[in-house]
Amino acid sequence: MRTLTSKWTKTLVLLKSNKVRRYIPETRLFNKSSVLSLLKKYQMVYVKPVNGSFGQGVIRVDLQRTKSGSKYRYQHGTASRSFGNYDAMYSSISKSKLKRSYLVQKGIHMLKYNNRVFDIRIMVQKNRERKWEASGYIGRVAHPKKIVTNFHNSGKPLPLETLLERFVQGEQKQAYIRDLKNLGYQIAVHLNKHYPGFREIGVDIGIDKELKPWIFEVNTAPDPLIFNQLKDKRMFRKVIHYARLNGRFRKK
Ligand SMILES: Nc1ncnc2c1ncn2[C@@H]1O[C@H](COP(=O)(O)OP(=O)(O)O)[C@@H](O)[C@H]1O
Ligand SMILES: [Mg+2]
């Protein structure tokens, strides 16, 4: 097997790893009671299609408790809607989503750059020695009105060093990036034990206010071209070189 689309299946596999498990936000299949219970526990959750990509169909839901009661709100794309009770909100979400399975996940309050949320893509590929190597990393800044950072959803790729600078500097920043790459490496090795066919993965990682990394998803057909958005082409060249070694651009 070379690709695996179900975010749910991949989450269950990652949860089997003691090293990786602690970085996975609590995740459940979407239904009326799972959304409510995660909302009560975390106040903010993300709802996403089990087989989605490009940030399509991703919904952010939050619960605000005020003196006059609870307010339920959700945002899809750039539009947001507010409700006075959970049932009304749940039926609105159910109507707006497609007839596919979804999951619900603890929402992470991502770090911001120029007031826009950002997250990280770590590329891990098999190299010339057929060993896993974290070959690239890049930051992705969301459009100011959006809740997803995907390049194919108006996100802007920027050097990770630039985005992290406000939060961690110098040698500490380099060590922090090394840890992120190592997390990507651990994920690849673990996933590969369960699914031996993979040669490349792209891990989406969000960082919370305590600088703790959280794994949003693992892509098994990651786009190498996003690295061409960086001015410095060194990472792009390496990622493309490895992608070729792994048969990525071969004609069928
Ligand atoms: N649990 C979450 N908390 C905060 N943001 C999230 C969460 N899950 C996803 N996101 C945001 O939505 C984007 C798309 O979600 P992702 O799981 O990567 O699905 P896709 O396959 O559509 O890329 C992520 O890159 C991130 O910006
Ligand atoms: Mg993604």
Side-chain angles (χ1 to χ4, degrees):
M1 194 188 301
R2 297 286 288 276
T3 62
L4 186 57
T5 54
S6 165
K7 288 185 181 14
W8 181 242
T9 306
K10 287 182 275 192
T11 301
L12 295 180
V13 172
L14 292 182
L15 285 170
K16 293 181 204 265
S17 158
N18 286 330
K19 282 185 190 151
V20 173
R21 192 165 55 220
R22 74 189 79 161
Y23 301 105
I24 302 175
E26 186 173 356
T27 308
R28 307 228 200 125
L29 283 173
F30 174 96
N31 60 50
K32 197 166 176 180
S33 68
S34 63
V35 174
L36 183 59
S37 80
L38 291 198
L39 254 186
K40 283 186 168 156
K41 199 161 165 189
Y42 301 114
Q43 287 76 55
M44 195 273 277
V45 300
Y46 267 65
V47 168
K48 37 195 189 182
V50 168
N51 291 306
S53 56
F54 305 142
Q56 282 162 4
V58 173
I59 303 171
R60 182 193 197 270
V61 186
D62 67 49
L63 164 60
Q64 287 173 319
R65 297 183 199 274
T66 62
K67 272 180 234 121
S68 49
S70 296
K71 205 169 99 185
Y72 297 84
R73 190 174 57 177
Y74 76 86
Q75 180 173 345
H76 185 185
T78 56
S80 79
R81 301 192 58 183
S82 227
F83 301 83
N85 68 77
Y86 178 70
D87 285 10
M89 186 197 68
Y90 184 80
S91 78
S92 174
I93 289 189
S94 302
K95 267 181 238 145
S96 85
K97 70 190 208 13
L98 304 166
K99 290 215 173 345
R100 292 194 277 164
S101 19
Y102 279 69
L103 48 80
V104 55
Q105 188 170 69
K106 173 187 177 181
I108 304 305
H109 293 276
M110 290 179 267
L111 296 182
K112 290 185 178 175
Y113 177 78
N114 288 345
N115 225 24
R116 305 170 182 204
V117 295
F118 73 85
D119 66 6
I120 296 161
R121 162 61 62 90
I122 308 276
M123 188 82 163
V124 193
Q125 299 171 288
K126 290 233 172 138
N127 61 20
R128 197 174 275 290
E129 284 79 49
R130 302 263 159 141
K131 298 246 170 61
W132 286 107
E133 180 182 329
S135 47
Y137 55 86
I138 192 167
R140 306 178 305 177
V141 184
H143 178 279
K145 294 201 166 73
K146 292 202 181 185
I147 51 147
V148 299
T149 58
N150 303 65
F151 180 45
H152 296 286
N153 210 316
S154 340
K156 186 171 172 46
L158 283 173
L160 181 57
E161 284 85 352
T162 310
L163 304 184
L164 287 178
E165 186 60 29
R166 242 185 77 204
F167 309 98
V168 49
Q169 302 83 25
E171 182 47 44
Q172 263 185 312
K173 181 163 75 172
Q174 293 318 314
Y176 190 77
I177 292 174
R178 271 201 300 280
D179 289 348
L180 290 174
K181 288 167 75 174
N182 187 45
L183 178 57
Y185 172 84
Q186 300 293 347
I187 292 168
V189 168
H190 176 77
L191 208 62
N192 208 205
K193 270 190 235 152
H194 294 264
Y195 298 96
F198 296 127
R199 295 174 185 171
E200 307 188 319
I201 60 165
V203 187
D204 293 341
I205 296 178
I207 309 287
D208 71 15
K209 307 278 182 298
E210 273 80 52
L211 296 192
K212 175 176 169 149
W214 293 94
I215 301 163
F216 291 152
E217 70 150 345
V218 178
N219 296 274
T220 53
D223 179 10
L225 298 178
I226 186 180
F227 292 93
N228 199 22
Q229 298 296 314
L230 298 175
K231 276 200 200 82
D232 183 338
K233 300 295 175 193
R234 280 175 294 181
M235 216 139 45
F236 175 63
R237 278 190 227 113
K238 182 182 223 179
V239 163
I240 289 293
H241 177 60
Y242 288 178
R244 287 220 172 85
L245 288 177
N246 290 323
R248 210 31 212 287
F249 302 112
R250 229 164 265 155
K251 290 202 186 73
K252 299 220 172 81

